[in-house]
Coordinates of all heavy atoms in Angstrom, one line a residue:
M22 N 0.8 -1.2 0.0 CA 0.0 0.0 0.0 C 0.9 1.2 0.0 O 1.9 1.3 0.6 CB -0.9 0.0 1.2 CG -2.3 -0.3 0.9 SD -3.4 0.0 2.3 CE -3.2 -1.5 3.2
T23 N 0.4 2.3 -0.6 CA 1.1 3.5 -0.6 C 0.7 4.4 0.5 O -0.3 4.2 1.1 CB 0.9 4.3 -1.9 OG1 -0.5 4.7 -2.0 CG2 1.2 3.5 -3.2
G24 N 1.5 5.4 0.8 CA 1.2 6.3 1.9 C 0.3 7.4 1.5 O 0.0 8.3 2.3
E25 N 0.0 7.5 0.2 CA -0.8 8.6 -0.3 C -2.3 8.5 0.2 O -2.9 7.5 0.3 CB -0.9 8.6 -1.8 CG 0.5 8.7 -2.5 CD 0.4 8.6 -4.0 OE1 -0.6 9.1 -4.5 OE2 1.3 8.1 -4.6
K26 N -2.8 9.7 0.5 CA -4.2 9.8 1.0 C -5.1 9.4 -0.1 O -4.9 9.9 -1.2 CB -4.5 11.2 1.6 CG -5.8 11.3 2.2 CD -6.0 12.7 2.8 CE -7.3 12.8 3.5 NZ -7.5 14.1 4.1
G27 N -6.2 8.7 0.2 CA -7.1 8.3 -0.8 C -6.7 7.2 -1.7 O -7.4 6.8 -2.6
N28 N -5.6 6.6 -1.4 CA -5.1 5.4 -2.2 C -5.0 4.2 -1.4 O -4.1 3.4 -1.5 CB -3.8 5.8 -2.9 CG -3.5 4.9 -4.1 OD1 -4.4 4.2 -4.6 ND2 -2.3 5.0 -4.6
K29 N -5.9 4.0 -0.5 CA -5.9 2.9 0.5 C -6.9 1.8 0.0 O -7.9 2.1 -0.5 CB -6.2 3.3 1.9 CG -5.2 4.4 2.4 CD -5.6 4.8 3.8 CE -4.7 5.9 4.3 NZ -5.1 6.4 5.6
L30 N -6.5 0.6 0.3 CA -7.4 -0.5 -0.1 C -8.4 -0.8 1.1 O -8.0 -0.6 2.3 CB -6.6 -1.8 -0.3 CG -5.6 -1.7 -1.5 CD1 -4.8 -3.0 -1.6 CD2 -6.4 -1.5 -2.8
A31 N -9.6 -1.2 0.8 CA -10.6 -1.5 1.8 C -10.2 -2.7 2.5 O -9.7 -3.7 1.9 CB -12.0 -1.6 1.2
R32 N -10.5 -2.8 3.8 CA -10.2 -4.0 4.6 C -11.4 -4.9 4.5 O -12.6 -4.4 4.6 CB -10.0 -3.6 6.0 CG -9.6 -4.8 6.9 CD -9.3 -4.3 8.3 NE -10.4 -3.7 8.9 CZ -10.9 -4.1 10.1 NH1 -10.4 -5.1 10.7 NH2 -11.9 -3.5 10.6
V33 N -11.2 -6.1 4.1 CA -12.3 -7.1 4.0 C -12.5 -7.8 5.3 O -11.6 -8.4 5.9 CB -12.0 -8.1 2.9 CG1 -13.1 -9.1 2.8 CG2 -11.8 -7.3 1.5
I34 N -13.7 -7.8 5.8 CA -14.1 -8.5 7.0 C -14.8 -9.8 6.6 O -15.9 -9.7 5.9 CB -15.0 -7.7 7.9 CG1 -14.2 -6.4 8.3 CG2 -15.4 -8.4 9.2 CD1 -15.1 -5.4 9.1
P35 N -14.3 -10.9 7.0 CA -15.0 -12.2 6.6 C -16.5 -12.2 7.2 O -16.7 -11.6 8.3 CB -14.2 -13.3 7.3 CG -12.9 -12.6 7.6 CD -13.1 -11.2 7.7
D36 N -17.4 -12.8 6.5 CA -18.8 -12.8 6.9 C -18.9 -13.4 8.3 O -19.8 -13.0 9.1 CB -19.7 -13.6 6.0 CG -19.9 -12.9 4.6 OD1 -19.7 -11.6 4.6 OD2 -20.2 -13.5 3.6
S37 N -18.1 -14.4 8.6 CA -18.2 -15.0 10.0 C -17.9 -14.0 11.1 O -18.4 -14.2 12.2 CB -17.3 -16.2 10.0 OG -16.0 -15.8 9.8
D38 N -17.0 -13.1 10.8 CA -16.6 -12.1 11.8 C -17.5 -10.8 11.8 O -17.4 -10.0 12.7 CB -15.2 -11.7 11.6 CG -14.2 -12.8 11.9 OD1 -14.6 -13.8 12.5 OD2 -13.1 -12.7 11.4
L39 N -18.3 -10.7 10.8 CA -19.0 -9.4 10.6 C -20.0 -9.2 11.7 O -20.0 -8.1 12.3 CB -19.8 -9.4 9.2 CG -20.4 -8.1 8.8 CD1 -19.4 -7.0 8.7 CD2 -21.2 -8.3 7.5
N40 N -20.8 -10.1 12.1 CA -21.8 -9.9 13.2 C -21.1 -9.6 14.5 O -21.6 -8.8 15.2 CB -22.7 -11.2 13.3 CG -23.7 -11.3 12.2 OD1 -24.0 -10.3 11.5 ND2 -24.1 -12.5 11.9
E41 N -20.0 -10.3 14.8 CA -19.3 -10.0 16.0 C -18.7 -8.6 16.0 O -18.7 -7.9 17.0 CB -18.1 -11.0 16.2 CG -18.6 -12.4 16.5 CD -17.5 -13.4 16.5 OE1 -16.3 -13.0 16.7 OE2 -17.7 -14.6 16.3
T42 N -18.2 -8.2 14.8 CA -17.6 -6.9 14.7 C -18.6 -5.8 14.9 O -18.4 -4.8 15.6 CB -16.9 -6.7 13.3 OG1 -15.9 -7.7 13.2 CG2 -16.3 -5.3 13.2
L43 N -19.8 -6.0 14.2 CA -20.9 -5.0 14.3 C -21.4 -4.9 15.8 O -21.7 -3.8 16.3 CB -22.0 -5.3 13.4 CG -21.6 -5.2 11.9 CD1 -22.8 -5.6 11.0 CD2 -21.3 -3.7 11.6
A44 N -21.5 -6.0 16.4 CA -22.0 -6.1 17.8 C -21.1 -5.4 18.7 O -21.5 -4.8 19.7 CB -22.3 -7.5 18.2
A45 N -19.8 -5.4 18.5 CA -18.8 -4.8 19.3 C -18.6 -3.3 19.1 O -18.0 -2.7 19.9 CB -17.5 -5.6 19.2
D46 N -19.1 -2.8 18.0 CA -18.9 -1.4 17.7 C -19.7 -0.5 18.7 O -20.8 -0.8 19.0 CB -19.5 -1.1 16.3 CG -18.5 -1.6 15.2 OD1 -17.4 -1.9 15.5 OD2 -19.0 -1.7 14.0
P47 N -19.0 0.5 19.1 CA -19.7 1.4 20.1 C -20.8 2.2 19.4 O -20.8 2.4 18.2 CB -18.6 2.4 20.5 CG -17.6 2.4 19.4 CD -17.7 1.0 18.8
K48 N -21.8 2.5 20.1 CA -23.0 3.3 19.6 C -22.9 4.7 20.0 O -22.3 5.1 21.0 CB -24.3 2.7 20.2 CG -24.5 1.2 20.0 CD -24.8 0.9 18.6 CE -25.1 -0.6 18.5 NZ -24.7 -1.2 17.3
L49 N -23.4 5.6 19.2 CA -23.5 7.0 19.5 C -24.7 7.3 20.3 O -25.8 6.8 20.1 CB -23.5 7.9 18.2 CG -22.3 7.9 17.4 CD1 -22.5 8.7 16.1 CD2 -21.2 8.6 18.1
D50 N -24.5 8.2 21.3 CA -25.7 8.6 22.1 C -26.6 9.5 21.2 O -26.2 10.0 20.2 CB -25.2 9.3 23.3 CG -24.4 10.6 23.0 OD1 -25.0 11.6 22.8 OD2 -23.2 10.5 23.0
S51 N -27.8 9.7 21.6 CA -28.8 10.4 20.8 C -28.4 11.9 20.6 O -28.7 12.5 19.6 CB -30.2 10.3 21.5 OG -30.2 10.9 22.8
T52 N -27.7 12.5 21.6 CA -27.3 13.9 21.5 C -26.2 14.0 20.3 O -26.3 14.9 19.5 CB -26.7 14.4 22.8 OG1 -27.6 14.3 23.8 CG2 -26.2 15.8 22.6
S53 N -25.3 13.1 20.3 CA -24.3 13.1 19.2 C -24.9 12.8 17.9 O -24.6 13.5 16.9 CB -23.2 12.0 19.5 OG -22.5 12.3 20.7
Q54 N -25.9 11.9 17.8 CA -26.6 11.6 16.6 C -27.3 12.8 16.1 O -27.3 13.1 14.9 CB -27.6 10.4 16.7 CG -26.9 9.1 16.9 CD -27.9 8.0 17.2 OE1 -29.1 8.2 17.1 NE2 -27.4 6.8 17.5
K55 N -28.0 13.5 17.0 CA -28.7 14.7 16.6 C -27.8 15.8 16.1 O -28.0 16.5 15.1 CB -29.5 15.2 17.8 CG -30.4 16.5 17.4 CD -31.2 16.9 18.6 CE -32.1 18.2 18.3 NZ -31.6 19.0 17.3
R56 N -26.7 16.0 16.8 CA -25.7 17.0 16.3 C -25.1 16.7 15.0 O -25.0 17.6 14.1 CB -24.6 17.1 17.4 CG -23.6 18.3 17.1 CD -22.5 18.5 18.1 NE -22.8 17.8 19.4 CZ -22.0 17.1 20.1 NH1 -20.8 16.8 19.6 NH2 -22.3 16.6 21.2
I57 N -24.8 15.4 14.7 CA -24.3 15.0 13.4 C -25.4 15.2 12.3 O -25.1 15.8 11.3 CB -23.8 13.6 13.4 CG1 -22.5 13.5 14.3 CG2 -23.5 13.1 12.0 CD1 -22.1 12.1 14.6
G58 N -26.6 14.9 12.7 CA -27.7 15.0 11.7 C -27.9 16.5 11.4 O -28.1 16.9 10.2
D59 N -27.9 17.4 12.4 CA -28.1 18.8 12.2 C -27.0 19.4 11.3 O -27.2 20.2 10.4 CB -28.1 19.5 13.5 CG -29.4 19.3 14.3 OD1 -30.3 18.7 13.8 OD2 -29.3 19.6 15.6
Q60 N -25.7 18.9 11.6 CA -24.6 19.4 10.8 C -24.7 19.0 9.3 O -24.4 19.7 8.4 CB -23.3 19.0 11.4 CG -23.0 19.7 12.7 CD -21.7 19.2 13.4 OE1 -21.2 18.1 13.0 NE2 -21.3 19.9 14.4
L61 N -25.1 17.7 9.1 CA -25.2 17.2 7.7 C -26.4 17.9 7.0 O -26.2 18.3 5.8 CB -25.5 15.7 7.8 CG -24.4 14.8 8.1 CD1 -24.8 13.3 8.3 CD2 -23.3 14.9 7.0
R62 N -27.5 18.2 7.7 CA -28.6 18.9 7.1 C -28.1 20.3 6.7 O -28.4 20.8 5.6 CB -29.8 19.0 8.0 CG -30.7 17.8 7.8 CD -32.0 17.9 8.6 NE -31.8 17.8 10.1 CZ -31.6 16.6 10.7 NH1 -31.6 15.5 10.0 NH2 -31.4 16.6 12.0
A63 N -27.4 21.0 7.6 CA -26.9 22.3 7.3 C -26.0 22.3 6.1 O -26.0 23.2 5.2 CB -26.2 22.9 8.5
M64 N -25.1 21.3 6.0 CA -24.1 21.2 4.9 C -24.9 21.0 3.6 O -24.6 21.6 2.5 CB -23.1 20.1 5.1 CG -22.1 20.5 6.2 SD -21.1 19.1 6.6 CE -20.4 18.6 5.1
Y65 N -25.9 20.1 3.6 CA -26.7 19.8 2.5 C -27.5 21.0 2.0 O -27.6 21.3 0.8 CB -27.7 18.6 2.8 CG -28.6 18.3 1.6 CD1 -28.1 17.5 0.6 CD2 -29.9 18.7 1.6 CE1 -28.9 17.2 -0.5 CE2 -30.7 18.3 0.5 CZ -30.2 17.6 -0.5 OH -31.0 17.3 -1.6
D66 N -28.1 21.7 3.0 CA -28.9 23.0 2.6 C -28.0 24.0 1.9 O -28.4 24.6 1.0 CB -29.5 23.6 3.9 CG -30.7 22.7 4.4 OD1 -31.2 21.8 3.7 OD2 -31.0 22.9 5.6
E67 N -26.8 24.1 2.5 CA -25.8 25.1 1.9 C -25.5 24.6 0.4 O -25.4 25.5 -0.5 CB -24.6 25.2 2.7 CG -23.5 26.2 2.2 CD -22.3 26.2 3.1 OE1 -22.5 26.1 4.3 OE2 -21.2 26.5 2.6
L68 N -25.2 23.4 0.3 CA -24.9 22.8 -1.0 C -26.0 23.0 -2.0 O -25.8 23.4 -3.2 CB -24.6 21.3 -0.9 CG -24.3 20.6 -2.2 CD1 -23.0 21.1 -2.8 CD2 -24.2 19.1 -2.0
M69 N -27.3 22.9 -1.6 CA -28.4 23.0 -2.5 C -28.6 24.5 -2.9 O -29.3 24.7 -3.9 CB -29.7 22.5 -1.8 CG -29.7 21.0 -1.6 SD -29.3 20.0 -3.1 CE -30.6 20.4 -4.1
Q70 N -28.0 25.4 -2.2 CA -28.1 26.8 -2.6 C -27.2 27.2 -3.7 O -27.3 28.3 -4.3 CB -27.9 27.7 -1.3 CG -28.9 27.5 -0.2 CD -30.3 27.8 -0.6 OE1 -30.6 28.7 -1.3 NE2 -31.2 26.9 -0.3
Q71 N -26.2 26.3 -4.0 CA -25.2 26.6 -5.0 C -25.8 26.5 -6.4 O -26.7 25.6 -6.6 CB -24.0 25.6 -4.9 CG -23.3 25.7 -3.6 CD -22.6 27.0 -3.3 OE1 -22.0 27.6 -4.2 NE2 -22.7 27.5 -2.1
P72 N -25.4 27.4 -7.3 CA -26.0 27.2 -8.7 C -25.5 26.0 -9.4 O -24.4 25.5 -9.1 CB -25.5 28.5 -9.4 CG -24.3 28.9 -8.6 CD -24.5 28.5 -7.2
V73 N -26.3 25.5 -10.3 CA -25.9 24.3 -11.1 C -24.9 24.8 -12.2 O -25.2 25.8 -12.9 CB -27.1 23.7 -11.8 CG1 -26.7 22.5 -12.7 CG2 -28.1 23.2 -10.7
P74 N -23.7 24.2 -12.3 CA -22.8 24.6 -13.3 C -23.4 24.5 -14.7 O -24.1 23.6 -15.0 CB -21.6 23.6 -13.1 CG -21.8 23.1 -11.7 CD -23.2 23.1 -11.4
D75 N -22.9 25.5 -15.6 CA -23.4 25.5 -16.9 C -23.2 24.2 -17.7 O -24.0 23.7 -18.4 CB -22.8 26.6 -17.7 CG -23.3 28.0 -17.3 OD1 -24.5 28.1 -16.7 OD2 -22.6 29.0 -17.5
R76 N -22.1 23.5 -17.4 CA -21.8 22.3 -18.1 C -22.8 21.2 -17.8 O -23.1 20.4 -18.6 CB -20.3 21.8 -17.9 CG -20.0 21.4 -16.5 CD -18.6 20.9 -16.3 NE -18.4 20.3 -15.0 CZ -17.6 20.8 -14.1 NH1 -16.9 21.9 -14.4 NH2 -17.5 20.3 -13.0
F77 N -23.3 21.2 -16.5 CA -24.3 20.2 -16.1 C -25.6 20.6 -16.8 O -26.4 19.7 -17.2 CB -24.5 20.2 -14.6 CG -23.3 19.6 -13.9 CD1 -23.1 19.8 -12.5 CD2 -22.4 18.8 -14.5 CE1 -22.1 19.2 -11.8 CE2 -21.3 18.2 -13.8 CZ -21.1 18.4 -12.5
K78 N -26.0 21.9 -16.8 CA -27.2 22.3 -17.5 C -27.2 21.8 -19.0 O -28.1 21.3 -19.5 CB -27.4 23.8 -17.4 CG -27.7 24.3 -16.0 CD -27.9 25.8 -16.0 CE -28.1 26.3 -14.6 NZ -28.2 27.8 -14.6
N79 N -26.0 22.0 -19.6 CA -25.9 21.7 -21.0 C -26.0 20.1 -21.2 O -26.7 19.7 -22.1 CB -24.5 22.1 -21.6 CG -24.4 23.6 -21.7 OD1 -25.4 24.3 -21.7 ND2 -23.2 24.1 -21.7
L80 N -25.4 19.4 -20.3 CA -25.6 17.9 -20.4 C -27.0 17.5 -20.2 O -27.5 16.6 -20.9 CB -24.7 17.2 -19.3 CG -23.2 17.2 -19.6 CD1 -22.4 16.7 -18.4 CD2 -22.9 16.3 -20.8
L81 N -27.7 18.1 -19.3 CA -29.1 17.8 -19.0 C -30.0 18.1 -20.3 O -30.8 17.4 -20.7 CB -29.6 18.5 -17.8 CG -29.1 18.0 -16.5 CD1 -29.5 18.9 -15.3 CD2 -29.6 16.5 -16.2
D82 N -29.7 19.3 -20.9 CA -30.4 19.7 -22.1 C -30.2 18.7 -23.2 O -31.1 18.3 -23.9 CB -30.0 21.1 -22.5 CG -30.4 22.2 -21.6 OD1 -31.4 22.0 -20.8 OD2 -29.9 23.3 -21.7
Q83 N -28.9 18.2 -23.4 CA -28.6 17.3 -24.4 C -29.3 15.9 -24.1 O -29.9 15.3 -25.1 CB -27.1 17.0 -24.5 CG -26.3 18.2 -25.0 CD -24.8 17.9 -24.9 OE1 -24.4 16.8 -24.7 NE2 -24.0 19.0 -25.0
L84 N -29.4 15.5 -22.9 CA -30.1 14.3 -22.6 C -31.6 14.4 -22.8 O -32.2 13.5 -23.3 CB -29.8 13.9 -21.1 CG -28.5 13.3 -20.8 CD1 -28.3 13.2 -19.3 CD2 -28.2 12.0 -21.4
E85 N -32.2 15.5 -22.4 CA -33.6 15.7 -22.7 C -33.9 15.8 -24.2 O -34.9 15.2 -24.6 CB -34.1 17.0 -22.0 CG -34.1 16.9 -20.5 CD -34.5 18.2 -19.8 OE1 -34.7 19.3 -20.5 OE2 -34.6 18.2 -18.6
K86 N -33.1 16.4 -24.9 CA -33.3 16.5 -26.4 C -33.2 15.1 -27.0 O -34.0 14.7 -27.8 CB -32.2 17.4 -27.0 CG -32.3 17.5 -28.5 CD -31.3 18.4 -29.1 CE -31.4 18.5 -30.6 NZ -30.3 19.2 -31.2
K87 N -32.2 14.3 -26.6 CA -32.0 12.9 -27.1 C -33.2 12.1 -26.7 O -33.7 11.3 -27.5 CB -30.7 12.3 -26.5 CG -30.4 11.0 -27.1 CD -29.1 10.5 -26.6 CE -28.7 9.1 -27.2 NZ -27.4 8.6 -26.8
D88 N -33.7 12.3 -25.4 CA -34.9 11.5 -25.0 C -36.1 11.9 -25.8 O -36.9 11.0 -26.2 CB -35.1 11.8 -23.5 CG -36.2 10.9 -22.9 OD1 -36.2 9.7 -23.2 OD2 -37.0 11.4 -22.1
R89 N -36.3 13.1 -26.1 CA -37.5 13.5 -26.9 C -37.4 12.9 -28.3 O -38.4 12.5 -28.8 CB -37.5 15.1 -27.0 CG -38.1 15.7 -25.7 CD -38.4 17.2 -26.0 NE -37.3 18.0 -26.5 CZ -36.4 18.6 -25.7 NH1 -36.5 18.6 -24.4 NH2 -35.4 19.3 -26.3
E90 N -36.2 13.0 -28.9 CA -36.0 12.4 -30.2 C -36.2 10.9 -30.2 O -36.9 10.4 -31.1 CB -34.6 12.7 -30.7 CG -34.3 14.1 -31.0 CD -32.9 14.4 -31.4 OE1 -32.0 13.5 -31.2 OE2 -32.6 15.6 -31.7
T91 N -35.8 10.2 -29.2 CA -35.9 8.8 -29.1 C -37.4 8.4 -28.9 O -37.9 7.5 -29.6 CB -35.1 8.2 -27.9 OG1 -33.8 8.5 -28.1 CG2 -35.3 6.7 -27.8
S92 N -38.1 9.1 -28.0 CA -39.5 8.8 -27.8 C -40.4 9.2 -29.0 O -41.4 8.6 -29.3 CB -40.0 9.5 -26.6 OG -40.0 10.9 -26.7
H93 N -40.0 10.2 -29.8 CA -40.7 10.7 -31.0 C -40.5 9.6 -32.1 O -41.4 9.3 -32.8 CB -40.2 12.0 -31.5 CG -40.9 12.5 -32.7 ND1 -40.5 12.3 -33.9 CD2 -42.0 13.3 -32.8 CE1 -41.3 12.8 -34.8 NE2 -42.3 13.4 -34.1
D94 N -39.3 9.1 -32.2 CA -39.0 8.1 -33.2 C -39.7 6.8 -33.0 O -40.0 6.0 -33.9 CB -37.4 7.9 -33.3 CG -36.7 9.1 -33.9 OD1 -37.4 9.9 -34.5 OD2 -35.5 9.1 -33.7
S95 N -39.9 6.4 -31.7 CA -40.5 5.1 -31.4 C -42.0 5.2 -31.4 O -42.7 4.2 -31.2 CB -40.0 4.7 -30.0 OG -40.5 5.5 -29.0
G96 N -42.5 6.4 -31.6 CA -44.0 6.6 -31.7 C -44.7 6.7 -30.4 O -45.9 6.7 -30.3
A97 N -43.9 6.9 -29.3 CA -44.5 7.1 -28.0 C -45.0 8.5 -27.8 O -44.6 9.4 -28.4 CB -43.5 6.7 -26.9

């Protein structure tokens, strides 16, 4: 394995050990779960406020045009 970030291999847990591993994992208390949930919602809301890049709009327009042409050609 390399020391570079993002270039790590996933560790495989055998199915026989999976239930034991999951059962031994610590649980988050409800306050921590709520805080994480609130932070994720805030990050998502902020992301949704960002404009859609023009290249994505162009791709969507191309897909819609192709879809219309395909449905028109098939008689639908």
Side-chain angles (χ1 to χ4, degrees):
M22 253 191 276
T23 66
E25 296 177 37
K26 185 175 181 179
N28 200 13
K29 298 178 182 176
L30 298 175
R32 183 174 64 122
V33 177
I34 300 173
D36 287 340
S37 60
D38 295 341
L39 188 58
N40 289 335
E41 292 174 22
T42 301
L43 293 176
D46 287 344
K48 305 289 186 217
L49 287 176
D50 59 86
S51 60
T52 303
S53 297
Q54 290 178 6
K55 182 179 180 334
R56 187 175 340 131
I57 291 170
D59 291 343
Q60 290 174 347
L61 287 172
R62 274 187 287 283
M64 290 172 54
Y65 179 78
D66 290 342
E67 182 179 328
L68 178 66
M69 293 308 296
Q70 299 302 316
Q71 300 295 318
V73 176
D75 288 338
R76 66 175 189 247
F77 290 162
K78 289 180 185 178
N79 292 338
L80 283 171
L81 289 171
D82 289 341
Q83 290 174 15
L84 287 171
E85 287 176 1
K86 181 180 177 184
K87 187 175 181 179
D88 188 43
R89 284 192 304 268
E90 290 172 355
T91 303
S92 64
H93 182 270
D94 291 343
S95 66

